[in-house]
């Protein structure tokens, strides 16, 4: 009889759980299911060969492929741009509202 290891964060961190090849099995899964579950959509884009070579080198140094690296870079850029646009929009709304009279403030300020 094998002693059961309690499923704790520490047991997983010490690799007492989840590392025994005897409990591993491969699963066949279609690319379509992966793309759907990750909400991925295939696109076609033309990039300079030198840029692709650079991205492959950067990806290799970071332990990932160049396509996941491109996804990360584009996601960071899009998130940053959205935040910047939202900040600008909020700032414009504040400036516009400052130009409008506020009856409740006029009463309070006399």
């Amino acid at each position: 009889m094998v002693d059961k290891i309690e499923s704790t964060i520490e047991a997983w961190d010490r690799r007492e759980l989840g590392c025994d090849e005897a409990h591993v099995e491969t699963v066949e899964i279609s690319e379509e299911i992966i793309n759907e579950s990750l909400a991925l959509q295939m696109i076609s884009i033309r990039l300079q060969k030198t840029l692709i070579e650079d991205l492959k080198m950067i990806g290799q140094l970071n332990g990932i492929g160049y396509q996941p690296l491109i996804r990360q870079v584009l996601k960071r850029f899009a998130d940053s741009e959205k935040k910047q646009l939202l900040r600008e929009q909020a700032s414009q709304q504040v400036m516009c509202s400052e130009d409008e009279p506020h009856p409740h403030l006029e009463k309070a300020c006399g």
Side-chain angles (χ1 to χ4, degrees), residues 2-20:
V2 177
D3 291 333
K4 187 172 182 178
I5 300 170
E6 186 179 347
S7 180
T8 63
I9 293 172
E10 292 78 20
W12 285 96
D13 287 344
R14 287 190 306 267
R15 301 179 57 86
E16 294 172 6
L17 293 172
C19 294
D20 189 344

Side-chain angles (χ1 to χ4, degrees), residues 19-74:
C19 294
D20 189 344
E21 289 185 27
H23 302 286
V24 174
E25 69 179 81
T26 59
V27 177
E28 294 295 324
I29 189 164
S30 73
E31 189 174 322
E32 183 179 326
I33 291 173
I34 294 171
N35 289 339
E36 264 186 48
S37 65
L38 296 174
L40 299 177
Q41 178 177 338
M42 187 177 290
I43 64 167
S44 178
I45 185 171
R46 296 184 186 275
L47 300 172
Q48 295 87 356
K49 289 180 181 181
T50 55
L51 176 58
I52 294 171
E53 290 169 8
D54 290 344
L55 290 166
K56 285 180 178 182
M57 183 263 308
I58 294 167
Q60 186 177 20
L61 292 171
N62 286 291
I64 61 173
Y66 76 100
Q67 291 181 348
L69 175 66
I70 290 172
R71 277 195 297 274
Q72 286 181 7
V73 168
L74 292 174

